[in-house]
């Protein structure tokens, strides 16, 4: 996948005796593909000659003189003052994420929820209206349904696959449309090109939570979205170590995000940024492998007599299968299924597995299993849960990279206990 050209190196940092792509400063490789950008972009080398990206474990930065201090505080050019404002390791991660999403700029945050909150606080004001998919990560529903409303931001939830609901929800003061696709946990596929047209007509921003696909499988900005948000905690880390988030989009919007982050403080730590940078280097490989295992598991589960229904867009029977093919390059690593039974059946199934980690996290090389109705979506009202289509017999699997036969064997232990 060809995604663009790396930004030119900072001429002040370049050593003229070295060819451009070996110079100090940012690596320049014309016409790089996604795989190459994920490994090479956003690496500002210091003068120490290190090969791997350094971790700048420092809260503040020293100035060369009183005049230099005054100039840096005055801005506007990005120079380091304090790590709540900027940090070189965090910037490396932001630059690499921007390259991978095809964004002008990216801004890292302390968590995925901080990415979503910062987007709202930076780009909305009291009196604005947001249209939200009702199939969102549970905490995002609480954020929009409870917290944002306390700040006089009106929110309407819509069935995300029904385009007419989005269209009919548009008001004079609609400033943002927010969604995830594929959705969590039911893998609904939402038409990003159609939503981009609706948001453009409404003169509102289309914000897409791209956690489930990552830019390795879906690039919403190319399909017309204005802003992409991520929980880097998931596939970007890939091994379940750190909590973090990122927002990517146009410079005019990211400028507002930077101002909010500096002032309100949900910035990313340099250590976490470094872990995420290293995670990006294997992102494409891992995503392809997650997709392969999830596809095999979904097809196998679909054959099991105790299964009522499997939710995975890689299945031809899934209503979003064709749409997913038109906007994603893979179907992702998360699937859900309903057992023929109730909550007890689902709990018995989960408790009988031994390989799967019983945790709400996803996007890890380790397969995880969870009961959405009583965990990730447990804080929703019964009405909100019903609206999101989360039944008591539903189990979500974030398929990891263990041997697929071992994963299936673990599922068999679950079926035996139902
Ligand atoms: C986990 C998750 C979030 C929130 O991210 P945190 O890093 O946990 O704050 C948001 N959206 C989706 C789809 C997620 O899976």
């Amino acid at each position: 996948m060809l995604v663009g050209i790396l930004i030119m190196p900072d001429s002040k940092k370049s050593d003229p005796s070295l060819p451009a792509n070996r110079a100090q400063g940012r690596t320049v490789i014309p016409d790089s593909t996604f795989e190459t950008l994920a490994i090479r972009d956003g690496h500002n080398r210091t003068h120490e000659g290190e090969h791997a990206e350094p971790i700048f474990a420092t809260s503040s930065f020293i100035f060369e003189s009183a005049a230099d201090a005054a100039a840096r505080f005055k801005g506007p050019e990005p120079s380091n003052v304090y790590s709540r404002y900027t940090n070189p390791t965090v910037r490396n991660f932001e630059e690499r994420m921007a390259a991978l999403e095809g964004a002008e700029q990216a801004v890292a945050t302390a968590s995925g929820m901080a990415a979503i909150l910062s987007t709202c606080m930076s780009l909305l004001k009291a009196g604005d209206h947001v249209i939200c998919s009702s199939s969102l990560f549970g905490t995002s529903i609480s954020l929009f349904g409870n917290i944002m409303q306390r700040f006089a931001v009106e929110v309407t939830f819509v069935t995300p696959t029904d385009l007419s609901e989005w269209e009919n929800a548009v008001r004079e003061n609609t400033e943002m449309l927010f969604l995830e696709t594929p959705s969590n946990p039911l893998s609904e596929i939402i038409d990003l090109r159609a939503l981009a047209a609706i948001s453009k007509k409404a003169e509102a921003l289309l914000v897409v939570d791209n956690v489930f696909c990552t830019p390795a499988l879906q690039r919403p900005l190319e399909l017309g979205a204005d802003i992409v948000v991520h929980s880097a905690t998931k596939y970007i880390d890939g091994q379940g170590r750190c909590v973090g988030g990122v927002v990517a989009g146009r410079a005019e919007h990211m400028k507002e995000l930077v101002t909010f982050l500096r002032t309100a403080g949900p910035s990313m730590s340099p250590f976490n940024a470094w872990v995420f940078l290293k995670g990006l280097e294997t992102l494409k490989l891992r995503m392809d492998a997650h997709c392969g295992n999830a596809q095999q598991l979904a097809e196998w589960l679909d054959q099991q007599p105790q299964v009522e229904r499997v939710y995975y867009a890689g299945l031809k029977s899934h209503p979003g299968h064709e749409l997913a093919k038109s906007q994603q390059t893979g179907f992702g690593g998360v699937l859900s299924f309903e057992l023929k039974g109730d909550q007890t059946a689902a709990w018995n199934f989960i408790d009988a597995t031994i390989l799967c980690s019983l945790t709400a996290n996803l996007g890890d090389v380790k397969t995880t299993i969870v009961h959405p109705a009583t965990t990730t979506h447990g804080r929703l009202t019964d009405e909100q849960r019903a609206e999101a289509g989360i039944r008591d017999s539903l189990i979500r699997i974030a398929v990891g990279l263990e041997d697929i036969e071992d994963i299936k064997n673990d599922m068999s232990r679950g079926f035996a206990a139902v």
Side-chain angles (χ1 to χ4, degrees), residues 111-113 116 137 140 180 209 211-212 231 233-234 243-244 362:
S111 68
M113 289 320 301
I116 299 171
F137 181 67
S140 301
E180 282 167 29
D209 180 330
V211 165
F212 274 52
S231 166
T233 317
K234 313 294 167 55
V243 174
L362 61 92

